[in-house]
Amino acid sequence: MANRIDGFRIEKIESIQSLEKCAELLMEAYNAEPWNDQWTKEKAWEKLTCFYNSPKFLGWMAIRDNNLLGACLGNIEPYYIGDYFYLKEMFVSVHCQRQGVGSKLMAALKNHLEIIDIKTIILFTSKDGFPFDFYQKNDFNIMEGMCMMNFGAIN
Ligand SMILES: CC(C)(COP(=O)(O)OP(=O)(O)OC[C@H]1O[C@@H](n2cnc3c(N)ncnc32)[C@H](O)[C@@H]1OP(=O)(O)O)[C@@H](O)C(=O)NCCC(=O)NCCS
């Protein structure tokens, strides 16, 4: 277990202005290992804004001394046996990964969902790499019998 970072707070994302810092952090986190993407800040902002402007958006930020350490965000979506939360993005600064920030964000999300009686979270991630370990540690399971498909190139 690595050192834990402390002295940070978890805040709900309440305004679109917060997305600017979130976009910078998304770009930083996904342009690093294990993804090595090539996000620009503009594209990251566009993506997050898309989620923010969707119905039933929910998001949280981890902040310390006015610095954004991480964020998680998504939307509640209708489902016939009970609505679920679709976790669309979750990222922590490469400078403080594996220090408990992601787990605290996840705890805030789960706590809120419990209060509003949403019992399920779904997400999409790679089977390879440490984000998978993170979700397993946070009690997520592989959805047996399901797979992600695409038409056309995605990478
Ligand atoms: C995935 C991510 C959000 C996790 O946030 P985090 O703050 O680093 O996670 P935590 O410190 O709370 O880690 C909790 C547990 O997850 C697992 N974990 C997290 N990072 C890990 C790593 N680099 N290697 C192995 N296990 C890891 C461990 O089990 C860890 O518990 P432990 O340290 O007690 O062993 C973060 O690493 C990240 O932003 N990654 C890049 C972007 C990304 O992949 N987002 C998710 C895409 S679906």
Side-chain angles (χ1 to χ4, degrees):
M1 185 191 293
N3 289 336
R4 288 321 194 213
I5 195 166
D6 52 18
F8 66 92
R9 63 184 194 280
I10 304 292
E11 259 183 33
K12 211 155 177 253
I13 298 177
E14 305 274 19
S15 87
I16 200 162
Q17 278 72 33
S18 305
L19 298 188
E20 192 145 338
K21 289 274 174 223
C22 290
E24 281 172 16
L25 204 60
L26 184 157
M27 184 179 68
E28 181 213 288
Y30 281 97
N31 289 354
E33 295 290 337
W35 306 103
N36 298 306
D37 290 348
Q38 292 173 29
W39 287 93
T40 61
K41 190 179 161 191
E42 290 68 31
K43 216 31 151 180
W45 186 84
E46 191 184 335
K47 187 175 176 75
L48 296 179
T49 304
C50 179
F51 300 147
Y52 183 87
N53 288 329
S54 302
K56 301 189 181 180
F57 167 85
L58 290 171
W60 282 266
M61 302 175 288
I63 297 170
R64 187 174 65 169
D65 300 333
N66 232 10
N67 295 314
L68 184 67
L69 305 184
C72 66
L73 52 159
N75 302 71
I76 296 170
E77 296 192 349
Y79 196 52
Y80 71 103
I81 51 167
D83 297 354
Y84 57 77
F85 182 75
Y86 191 161
L87 180 55
K88 301 271 176 57
E89 285 300 344
M90 170 144 205
F91 43 86
V92 168
S93 164
V94 290
H95 305 293
C96 51
Q97 287 178 7
R98 203 141 190 207
Q99 296 176 62
V101 175
S103 295
K104 276 221 173 160
L105 283 164
M106 183 62 77
L109 167 63
K110 286 180 178 172
N111 187 46
H112 182 81
L113 294 180
E114 194 178 337
I115 291 166
I116 60 173
D117 203 28
I118 300 286
K119 298 183 182 358
T120 308
I121 304 172
I122 63 164
L123 62 87
F124 163 64
T125 194
S126 165
K127 279 186 190 170
D128 304 317
F130 61 81
F132 182 79
D133 301 329
F134 170 77
Y135 291 120
Q136 278 207 315
K137 178 95 184 242
N138 281 279
D139 301 320
F140 283 74
N141 300 304
I142 292 177
M143 289 173 73
E144 294 299 341
M146 301 295 282
C147 74
M148 184 134 184
M149 300 180 78
N150 66 288
F151 169 80
I154 190 90
N155 54 16

